[in-house]
Amino acid sequence: MRRQNFGLLSLAGLLVGLAAYGANAQSGNFTTFADFVAAYNGTDLTIFTAALNKTGLTDTVANYSDGTVFIPNDAAFASFATSLGLSNATALLSLPMDTLTALLKYHVVSHKVTINTANFTDNPILKPSDWVTIYQRLPTLAPSVTAMNYLNLTTNITDWKSSTVKSPWATAKLVSNVTEPFTFVGTVRMAVINSVMAWWYSSIADAISDNDRLVTLKQSLVNNGLWANLNNKELSLTLFAPYDVALLPRFNYNINATDNSTTVRNMLTYLHTYGTNNANFSADIQASYTYTSLYNNMTLVVNQTGANSVTVKSVGTTAKVITATGTGTGVTGMIQIGGPVPKSFVHMIDTTPIPVVTNIWAVLSQDPNFSELVKLFVKEGIEIKTLQKSVITYPNTVLAPNDAALRKLAADYGTVVANVSSVIGIFGQDLGDFLRNHIVRGSYSKEALTSGVQLTTEMTPTTSKMVNVSIQGGATVLASDKSSATIVAPSNVEVVYGWSYIQAINYPLVPQTVRLQTIGRGGSSTGGGGSAGTLLPSVLVVLMGLVAALMMI
């Protein structure tokens, strides 16, 4: 399959050729449009001719250049009018002038299309399978309303009469009655076709099916029972459509988008929003739009910072609207459904919007069980940034001491004051190391924490420490350098459908590098290893016990 892209042509110049040609019906070459119409069939091209006159395009006289015009016959216009709910083909002439003009320009391409089979069949390098068809992607002169301003011409070089020209709306056959499908009118080429070309699709399902980068999305919609409704031509929706790569598990929080599951169904429903919100994303403007999702009436915010610079913000992700992708007819990021007035839109995007938060901090900070730990992260101010990052980069598991655990630590070190200021004083300059020892690299559900598992924690950007897992009396015990803890409720708190986890523990995990300070008694202590949920008392407390024992001798 070969593809050719060409620069734009001035329609004004092109249509000069339509007004100045004489006939040579035997050779298929003409110098006036009237002669061409008469030689073809003067009663079969009346609507196209009337539309040219109505828009004034036949009077264009400047800047002539070569090009090709695809002319729908009257039967094609009649069928097109019916599809729009109009009484007859003549009613098309009553469409708004800008719509009618755009429709005509959509049939004009800025390239002199040729089908020369000899250039291919005589080429010794090409195999027969290489020259069965020629594919040309032809830029039209239609205004870039949705950037769908291309026609696709597919030609069988051994039988040009089977050639087709395709738009999002329809696929037309060439119906010229000369030996070569494109007739010269001056230096302009023309071909009569049996369907009107338009830049919109009849349904969202048609648009997705026609785009070679939405294959996975289609399969996912089918598997989750959401496809059939998208065939409804009367829908008024805006669908944000992740292209294939965005739906791969490694880029999609380890979710298989083609699974038939509640998780995937919720994600897909979140992509559907009410109405069209007919924004012009190709305009060089700054604007913000709010879309309401069919999933729990949640919102997606679309921010436009310039021409084709558009982002979609969901609860936990930011996606970019793709402006030009794919190789099929659907090669744009903004695809119109229905017309001339759009009924729906499909916007291709590079990331999958998720209807749940996608960072650990958003979950941790909203859980009242961890209010004291949250204050420690805020006080330290550095590691909070790690938790605020989207976990799409890599998963983490936070071993989170609950409020009772931190109060117990405070009591073990000389204070029973249950507030974060008393806990902070225990760590001195080592608060960062203490917090990092609770951030584990990787995603660990409680079921994955089995005896013998060693967890690597984020001690520093270049070093790490290990937390050892064991099962004791049915409890999951985690042991660090100076303390151990047991996993308690709430355990298995999921972040992005289990891509990351928060596991509550009943005592902090203290690494060797953290020098715990005794509060209110003076001195300091480094502590030692203890049993699950305990920390050895401070050296000062031990010494006091020894003195008391000696006095009793």
Side-chain angles (χ1 to χ4, degrees):
M1 184 173 288
R2 297 190 161 202
R3 301 183 184 131
Q4 301 175 22
N5 295 305
F6 306 93
L8 291 178
L9 167 74
S10 167
L11 178 69
L14 174 61
L15 291 174
V16 173
L18 301 182
Y21 50 89
N24 184 345
Q26 299 299 318
S27 65
N29 295 329
F30 303 88
T31 53
T32 70
F33 184 56
D35 287 340
F36 168 73
V37 171
Y40 181 82
N41 182 348
T43 63
D44 200 26
L45 304 178
T46 61
I47 302 299
F48 187 81
T49 303
L52 286 176
N53 293 333
K54 176 73 178 287
T55 57
L57 293 177
T58 51
D59 296 330
T60 305
V61 292
N63 301 320
Y64 173 77
S65 297
D66 291 345
T68 301
V69 182
F70 294 96
I71 304 175
N73 56 23
D74 284 0
F77 276 112
S79 175
F80 185 66
T82 299
S83 72
L84 299 184
L86 301 176
S87 57
N88 53 53
T90 305
L92 290 168
L93 301 176
S94 299
L95 290 174
M97 188 65 69
D98 57 346
T99 299
L100 187 59
T101 299
L103 198 62
L104 290 176
K105 288 183 177 181
Y106 195 65
H107 291 77
V108 181
V109 301
S110 56
H111 167 57
K112 187 165 63 177
V113 179
T114 59
I115 301 174
N116 187 347
T117 61
N119 291 340
F120 293 89
T121 56
D122 294 340
N123 190 329
I125 298 177
L126 296 176
K127 301 176 183 178
S129 60
D130 294 327
W131 45 259
V132 169
T133 60
I134 308 169
Y135 172 86
Q136 298 185 58
R137 183 166 176 258
L138 307 172
T140 76
L141 302 187
S144 183
V145 178
T146 62
M148 292 295 299
N149 58 344
Y150 288 89
L151 298 177
N152 293 328
L153 176 68
T154 302
T155 304
N156 186 320
I157 65 174
T158 61
D159 177 19
W160 65 261
K161 292 184 179 180
S162 65
S163 300
T164 60
V165 58
K166 187 176 187 300
S167 72
W169 174 256
T171 298
K173 291 184 178 180
L174 306 183
V175 293
S176 298
N177 57 0
V178 293
T179 56
E180 208 274 346
F182 293 98
T183 301
F184 272 107
V185 179
T187 59
V188 179
R189 287 191 161 230
M190 293 187 178
V192 178
I193 56 178
N194 68 352
S195 183
V196 173
M197 301 288 97
W199 55 84
W200 57 82
Y201 288 90
S202 60
S203 70
I204 293 176
D206 286 346
I208 294 175
S209 297
D210 196 41
N211 196 300
D212 59 4
R213 300 190 76 178
L214 298 178
V215 175
T216 304
L217 177 63
K218 178 179 179 179
Q219 189 62 57
S220 184
L221 291 164
V222 170
N223 290 353
N224 285 276
L226 300 175
W227 180 253
N229 189 48
L230 299 182
N231 286 284
N232 183 350
K233 298 179 181 180
E234 300 305 316
L235 282 179
S236 179
L237 290 176
T238 296
L239 176 66
F240 293 96
Y243 73 131
D244 287 346
V245 173
L247 288 172
L248 291 175
R250 68 177 182 273
F251 298 126
N252 199 31
Y253 305 102
N254 210 31
I255 298 169
N256 186 344
T258 58
D259 283 348
N260 179 1
S261 69
T262 300
T263 295
V264 176
R265 197 153 41 252
N266 290 346
M267 288 171 51
L268 294 174
T269 304
Y270 187 53
L271 302 176
H272 297 66
T273 64
Y274 294 99
T276 60
N277 207 338
N278 193 6
N280 183 3
F281 289 166
S282 63
D284 189 13
I285 60 174
Q286 293 188 358
S288 181
Y289 315 93
T290 299
Y291 291 79
T292 302
S293 171
L294 273 62
Y295 179 71
N296 293 339
N297 286 328
M298 299 176 69
T299 61
L300 292 95
V301 177
V302 175
N303 292 312
Q304 181 175 359
T305 57
N308 299 319
S309 180
V310 183
T311 57
V312 181
K313 177 71 174 176
S314 69
V315 174
T317 57
T318 299
K320 292 182 180 179
V321 172
I322 302 169
T323 56
T325 56
T327 56
T329 300
V331 294
T332 178
M334 184 175 180
I335 305 170
Q336 181 176 329
I337 315 299
V341 178
K343 291 183 178 179
S344 293
F345 280 110
V346 175
H347 297 295
M348 285 181 60
I349 51 179
D350 66 352
T351 303
T352 306
I354 302 290
V356 296
V357 294
T358 58
N359 68 81
I360 294 172
W361 180 253
V363 177
L364 187 70
S365 61
Q366 297 301 313
D367 194 324
N369 293 285
F370 307 115
S371 61
E372 296 297 323
L373 180 63
V374 166
K375 295 174 184 176
L376 291 179
F377 274 105
V378 172
K379 176 66 176 179
E380 193 266 344
I382 297 176
E383 291 310 311
I384 189 175
K385 297 177 182 178
T386 299
L387 302 185
Q388 288 173 334
K389 291 179 181 178
S390 174
V391 297
I392 190 63
T393 306
Y394 55 86
N396 281 323
T397 299
V398 175
L399 307 175
N402 58 25
D403 288 354
L406 289 172
R407 286 195 294 268
K408 185 176 181 181
L409 179 68
D412 285 344
Y413 275 76
T415 179
V416 294
V417 179
N419 59 55
V420 71
S421 60
S422 64
V423 178
I424 289 173
I426 295 172
F427 303 106
Q429 300 299 313
D430 298 330
L431 179 57
D433 275 1
F434 171 78
L435 294 174
R436 281 187 288 272
N437 200 51
H438 293 81
I439 303 174
V440 174
R441 302 171 188 173
S443 177
Y444 290 93
S445 65
K446 188 178 180 182
E447 292 72 24
L449 296 172
T450 57
S451 287
V453 171
Q454 290 188 315
L455 306 177
T456 303
T457 65
E458 299 278 5
M459 278 298 298
T460 72
T462 57
T463 64
S464 62
K465 286 287 185 178
M466 306 302 294
V467 171
N468 298 306
V469 181
S470 63
I471 305 298
Q472 300 178 17
T476 303
V477 178
L478 309 173
S480 188
D481 296 331
K482 295 184 179 181
S483 66
S484 60
T486 300
I487 290 182
V488 294
S491 63
N492 273 359
V493 177
E494 293 186 350
V495 180
V496 195
Y497 309 114
W499 179 252
S500 288
Y501 283 94
I502 299 170
Q503 302 288 1
I505 55 178
N506 66 351
Y507 203 81
L509 298 173
V510 183
Q512 188 64 43
T513 56
V514 172
R515 297 158 296 180
L516 297 175
Q517 310 295 315
T518 301
I519 304 300
R521 298 183 182 180
S524 64
S525 172
T526 58
S531 62
T534 63
L535 182 75
L536 290 183
S538 69
V539 173
L540 181 59
V541 173
V542 173
L543 291 176
M544 292 175 64
L546 289 175
V547 170
L550 288 173
M551 292 178 65
M552 296 176 63
I553 296 175

